Amino acid sequence: LLDSSRPMNDRYQILSTLAAGGRGTVFRAFDTSQNRDVALKRLHANGAGKEDLLREARRLYGVRHPNLVTVLDYGEDDEGAYLVMEMLKGESLEQRLGKGPLPLEDFRELV
């Protein structure tokens, strides 16, 4: 549930970095309001892509589908725009491919 009444840093505690890229960083965070781990995407300080991130959040917020990550919250604070998603357990495609080729059924499902 979108909770704009609480500043992001009051609700989410950053625990570790999951991934970093050219536009931002994804963190493992703890949602103190809902008592659960979440993935928090934060844009780099220069703010590039802020409108894209917020547009993505607005479009996905409330959408529920087994093949899409659920957007739980989004907003903007003094540090910039952020997007909060459900935390999915598993491994990256790179990690999986490091174990060897995918079986044909798994490849078809992925594609």
Side-chain angles (χ1 to χ4, degrees), residues 73-89:
D73 191 7
Y74 63 93
E76 188 176 359
D77 62 12
D78 293 340
E79 295 179 44
Y82 62 90
L83 175 64
V84 180
M85 301 160 283
E86 67 179 314
M87 174 63 75
L88 298 176
K89 307 293 184 204

Side-chain angles (χ1 to χ4, degrees), residues 55-93:
R55 186 174 25 260
E56 172 188 356
R58 285 189 293 271
R59 287 181 179 157
L60 291 174
Y61 187 75
V63 173
R64 302 293 181 261
H65 189 278
N67 295 334
L68 293 175
V69 66
T70 300
V71 173
L72 304 171
D73 191 7
Y74 63 93
E76 188 176 359
D77 62 12
D78 293 340
E79 295 179 44
Y82 62 90
L83 175 64
V84 180
M85 301 160 283
E86 67 179 314
M87 174 63 75
L88 298 176
K89 307 293 184 204
E91 60 188 351
S92 70
L93 180 58

Side-chain angles (χ1 to χ4, degrees), residues 5 14 26 39 49 60 75 79 81 89 98 102:
S5 64
I14 303 295
V26 178
L60 291 174
E79 295 179 44
K89 307 293 184 204
L102 290 173

Side-chain angles (χ1 to χ4, degrees), residues 2-111:
L2 188 62
D3 184 3
S4 59
S5 64
R6 289 181 71 183
M8 199 278 307
N9 289 329
D10 287 348
R11 180 170 178 180
Y12 302 105
Q13 297 173 345
I14 303 295
L15 303 174
S16 63
T17 300
L18 295 174
R23 291 180 41 182
T25 304
V26 178
F27 301 97
R28 181 173 159 257
F30 185 73
D31 180 345
T32 60
S33 177
Q34 298 295 314
N35 197 33
R36 64 179 167 192
D37 284 345
V38 295
L40 190 145
K41 183 177 184 179
R42 167 75 80 180
L43 293 182
H44 291 308
N46 65 11
K50 177 181 84 167
E51 291 307 316
D52 290 339
L53 180 74
L54 294 175
R55 186 174 25 260
E56 172 188 356
R58 285 189 293 271
R59 287 181 179 157
L60 291 174
Y61 187 75
V63 173
R64 302 293 181 261
H65 189 278
N67 295 334
L68 293 175
V69 66
T70 300
V71 173
L72 304 171
D73 191 7
Y74 63 93
E76 188 176 359
D77 62 12
D78 293 340
E79 295 179 44
Y82 62 90
L83 175 64
V84 180
M85 301 160 283
E86 67 179 314
M87 174 63 75
L88 298 176
K89 307 293 184 204
E91 60 188 351
S92 70
L93 180 58
E94 181 180 11
Q95 291 169 326
R96 173 56 191 90
L97 292 177
K99 297 177 183 177
L102 290 173
L104 184 56
E105 283 186 37
D106 291 346
F107 175 77
R108 284 184 178 151
E109 184 176 330
L110 180 64
V111 173

